[in-house]
Amino acid sequence: MTYQPPVRDQLFVLRDVLELERYANLPGFADATPDLVEQILDQAARFCGEVLAPLNAVGDKQGCRWSPDHTVTTPDGFKAAYQQFVDAGWPALGAEPAYGGQGLPAVVNLAVSEMSSGANMAFAMYPGLTHGTYSAILNGGSQAQKDLYLPRLASGRWAGTMNLTEPHCGTDLGLLRTKAVAHGDGSYRISGQKIWISGGEQDLTENIVHLVLARIEGAPAGVRGISLFIVPKFIPNADGTLGDRNGVKCLGLESKMGIHGNATCVLAHDESTGWLVGEENRGLALMFVMMNEARIGVGLQGIAQAEGAYQAAAAFAKERLQGRALTGPKNPDGPADPIIVHPDVRRMLLDAAAMVEGGRAFLFWTALQGDLARAAADEAERRKASDFMALLTPVVKAFLTDQGFQVCSNAMQIHGGAGYTEHLPLSQYLRDVRIAMIYEGTNGVQALDLVGRKLAADGGRAVMAFFAELDAYAAANKDDDALAPIIAGLAQAKGELQEATLWLMQNGMANPDNAGAASSDYLHLFGLTALAYMWARIAKVSQAKVAAGDSDPFYARKLVVARHFVERVLPQAGAHLRKLKAGSQTLMSLPADAF
């Protein structure tokens, strides 16, 4: 089964559920007409399906190759595909027109990124990180830095990376040792080692722009003394032509479980020349611009890999003959029935559909909040959208990647023993998606961020607005009999999330271990509630289509999946509430040597 980009479902979410046309008066949205968005997604689907998808297995089996001259060769076909990607203008889709971009809403760009990641996650990581580098410089760079770097990053001619992790520190960046020494001419000399740098060296682009966290001599200890630097592979001249090779070298590649087609590098900065971005000792705040964008992109990876795995599992279940249906043969002329007749196989497929399609709507809705935070005409609307974006980013990252991995695992289960072999794509989906639960901040760290920082921000303003959003939707649709089970499920989940929030307020402050022990369950309860809201919106649109006489089975199918979500997936919310209210006492009672 070859990956099929989910254009129909993406258009349904963008047009019918999110109603992008409502925002046509806002900058960027005016050009995103329904016809143009459809053309963009159709063309992206053709490129992803015909060019990137066939290279997915190639990249997995072949991997990247490091040479002693510190260069890296990407898998066969990647370089030519990347050139096609650049020539078609795909990297510029969401970039500012002032720097050569097309200025379309981020949510449209995200739909294209989902397809490229679903077709070939390892390949899609190269331009994905480049856009994050673009965003960080756009937000914090000087005008000269923007003029020099942004057009080349937006075009895809230059790539970008972020250099955070060091051998002795990952999440705790306050421990980093990479140092920066002022050179007297406005530049700095950067020295230190960075590890796990995705795309840190490759043969796809003419230059690589590393964003490096380092500590200027004499800076305060901890995170308060971290600065951000632009460190290009080749030092550019003022006109953008390439000058001398910089002092950054790839010492080798990591041997990884998955994403073999992406070069995960160990980089040594040997007095590399770098330029400060923004103010001294304020680098972490700027890097978080890139990291938060990356976290949305990682949530996208969870959905994208789950979509591919679901497609493969559904096709296999309809073709694989094994056993007979419990209610009698459904394929009487054959030796056995297709396994899709079995209730447990259907359970796994419907669980996958509920998570992938509801998760996609949640992902796109969150990305839309980012667009509205920048472009909405009303200040209150911009603030609300910005609050939602901050609140939901850790949920998008952690919940969608946890669920994406589970979908891929169940898709392998549906394939039985064949799924465990390398003859079918399930192993790669499962291996590739697993990293998404770890990088850009592990999912446990995302849960702590949600509970420890995001809930309390501005006196709880964001989460209170989220509760109000759900209450308003439930109230507006309470008299719709056709939607009654869906709205009831949403209302119950919202009540459970609110109860969990109050419990954290009462118990987390008194004993921080209670907050830590509850954090993962709270995040998953939040994710399930968010998906309940999305499925309520999906069901409303679909029910209206059916009631209007639309016989397209697409809408009737949506209503079935929505009911499955409420009946068999959403009840997990209550279990998460009960677990988090158990507190931390048992978790923290054993001494370390008892484990």
Side-chain angles (χ1 to χ4, degrees):
M1 171 72 187
T2 303
Y3 171 76
Q4 302 295 316
V7 176
R8 174 71 194 276
D9 200 61
Q10 289 184 337
L11 286 172
F12 169 70
V13 173
L14 294 173
R15 287 180 174 176
D16 299 319
V17 179
L18 301 185
E19 300 178 288
L20 283 193
E21 282 189 276
R22 292 174 50 203
Y23 308 105
N25 61 316
L26 302 180
F29 287 90
D31 295 328
T33 63
D35 288 346
L36 179 62
V37 170
E38 183 171 358
Q39 290 172 16
I40 288 170
L41 297 190
D42 283 342
Q43 290 298 319
R46 186 171 295 112
F47 175 76
C48 293
E50 296 176 2
V51 178
L52 297 187
L55 294 174
N56 199 30
V58 175
D60 184 53
K61 291 177 173 59
Q62 192 177 102
C64 296
R65 301 178 293 281
W66 178 83
S67 297
D69 63 355
H70 308 292
T71 61
V72 170
T73 304
T74 53
D76 293 345
F78 271 46
K79 189 170 184 178
Y82 187 82
Q83 192 58 53
Q84 286 182 255
F85 182 76
V86 170
D87 290 346
W90 292 115
L93 202 64
E96 296 287 332
Y99 300 108
Q102 298 176 36
L104 290 171
V107 67
V108 175
N109 190 42
L110 198 75
V112 174
S113 296
E114 187 209 332
M115 286 190 271
S116 62
S117 186
N120 194 324
M121 178 172 161
F123 179 95
M125 288 172 65
Y126 293 109
L129 285 165
T130 297
H131 194 269
T133 303
Y134 165 92
S135 297
I137 296 174
L138 179 67
N139 278 272
S142 67
Q143 191 59 52
Q145 289 171 340
K146 293 176 185 179
D147 292 341
L148 177 58
Y149 290 100
L150 294 189
R152 294 161 181 85
L153 291 168
S155 71
R157 288 170 49 204
W158 293 4
T161 77
M162 54 180 173
N163 287 213
L164 288 77
T165 307
E166 299 180 6
H168 62 284
C169 74
T171 301
D172 190 354
L173 289 170
L175 299 175
L176 71 79
R177 297 172 184 159
T178 299
K179 66 178 182 179
V181 179
H183 195 57
D185 60 355
S187 68
Y188 290 77
R189 296 297 177 263
I190 314 295
S191 299
Q193 187 177 106
K194 299 289 184 176
I195 62 171
W196 304 336
I197 309 306
S198 300
E201 179 60 41
Q202 35 81 358
D203 59 353
L204 306 177
T205 61
E206 62 188 40
N207 204 3
I208 303 173
V209 182
H210 303 288
L211 288 184
V212 182
L213 289 181
R215 196 181 304 280
I216 296 173
E217 284 188 318
V223 295
R224 292 178 301 166
I226 296 175
S227 298
L228 182 65
F229 299 88
I230 292 174
V231 182
K233 175 181 174 180
F234 291 99
I235 299 174
N237 299 310
D239 62 358
T241 57
L242 300 184
D244 295 336
R245 183 75 160 81
N246 209 341
V248 54
K249 295 179 180 178
C250 176
L251 301 183
L253 298 175
E254 300 290 350
S255 179
K256 311 188 296 289
M257 175 179 173
I259 53 169
H260 296 149
N262 193 269
T264 306
C265 302
V266 178
L267 294 184
H269 291 275
D270 184 10
E271 295 198 342
S272 302
T273 301
W275 286 268
L276 182 68
V277 184
E279 300 175 17
E280 288 187 12
N281 306 327
R282 298 283 296 168
L284 202 55
L286 281 176
M287 184 61 88
F288 267 112
V289 172
M290 186 174 186
M291 289 176 69
N292 284 331
E293 181 170 309
R295 285 168 179 167
I296 297 294
V298 173
L300 174 151
Q301 290 175 335
I303 291 298
Q305 298 305 291
E307 170 70 43
Y310 167 69
Q311 289 182 15
F316 184 87
K318 288 182 277 190
E319 296 170 359
R320 173 67 168 171
L321 301 181
Q322 197 86 132
R324 289 296 187 185
L326 299 175
T327 53
K330 299 297 185 287
N331 179 33
D333 296 330
D337 289 333
I339 63 172
I340 200 166
V341 304
H342 301 305
D344 198 55
V345 171
R346 286 175 167 253
R347 172 188 64 82
M348 289 186 280
L349 288 173
L350 278 167
D351 281 356
M355 281 299 171
V356 170
E357 295 164 29
R360 175 178 294 119
F362 177 41
L363 176 72
F364 286 12
W365 183 73
T366 304
L368 176 62
Q369 304 311 308
D371 283 318
L372 296 177
R374 291 185 293 270
D378 181 69
E379 182 179 351
E381 188 177 0
R382 289 196 303 272
R383 188 182 72 176
K384 178 183 175 183
S386 180
D387 284 350
F388 279 177
M389 189 72 173
L391 176 70
L392 298 174
T393 292
V395 183
V396 165
K397 193 279 183 187
F399 182 73
L400 295 186
T401 57
D402 277 350
Q403 297 302 323
F405 179 79
Q406 187 60 55
V407 168
C408 291
S409 180
N410 282 344
M412 178 178 282
Q413 189 74 15
I414 289 168
H415 281 75
Y420 196 66
T421 71
E422 295 295 331
H423 299 296
L424 293 170
L426 276 302
S427 170
Q428 185 181 354
Y429 284 129
L430 196 65
R431 288 183 286 103
D432 283 355
V433 78
R434 187 60 182 84
I435 185 58
M437 300 163 71
I438 299 172
Y439 61 14
E440 305 305 339
T442 66
N443 286 1
V445 168
Q446 302 303 314
L448 288 173
D449 179 48
L450 174 65
V451 167
R453 296 178 58 213
K454 300 301 172 60
L455 289 185
D458 299 303
R461 186 177 70 200
V463 74
M464 292 300 111
F466 185 71
F467 290 152
E469 174 105 1
L470 304 191
D471 284 339
Y473 194 85
N477 294 279
K478 63 181 175 62
D479 297 326
D480 190 331
D481 292 340
L483 295 179
I486 314 296
I487 298 301
L490 170 61
Q492 180 171 338
K494 181 264 172 182
E496 290 167 336
L497 180 61
Q498 191 164 29
E499 183 178 346
T501 305
L502 292 173
W503 186 92
L504 280 169
M505 291 172 61
Q506 293 165 359
N507 295 275
M509 293 290 288
N511 181 359
D513 279 343
N514 281 333
S519 60
S520 182
D521 283 299
Y522 183 82
L523 184 142
H524 281 82
L525 172 53
F526 209 124
L528 287 165
T529 305
L531 258 65
Y533 180 37
M534 293 300 107
W535 273 113
R537 296 180 62 158
I538 292 168
K540 182 176 181 178
V541 172
S542 300
Q543 181 61 43
K545 296 283 188 181
V546 171
D550 195 321
S551 60
D552 189 337
F554 178 91
Y555 301 111
R557 176 190 172 279
K558 287 290 186 187
L559 292 172
V560 171
V561 180
R563 289 197 298 273
H564 175 84
F565 174 81
V566 169
E567 292 170 3
R568 288 184 165 268
V569 179
L570 191 56
Q572 297 171 25
H576 287 300
L577 175 61
R578 289 191 294 275
K579 287 194 290 181
L580 73 84
K581 290 174 71 174
S584 63
Q585 183 175 358
T586 302
L587 286 180
M588 305 307 293
S589 64
L590 287 179
D593 59 7
F595 285 92

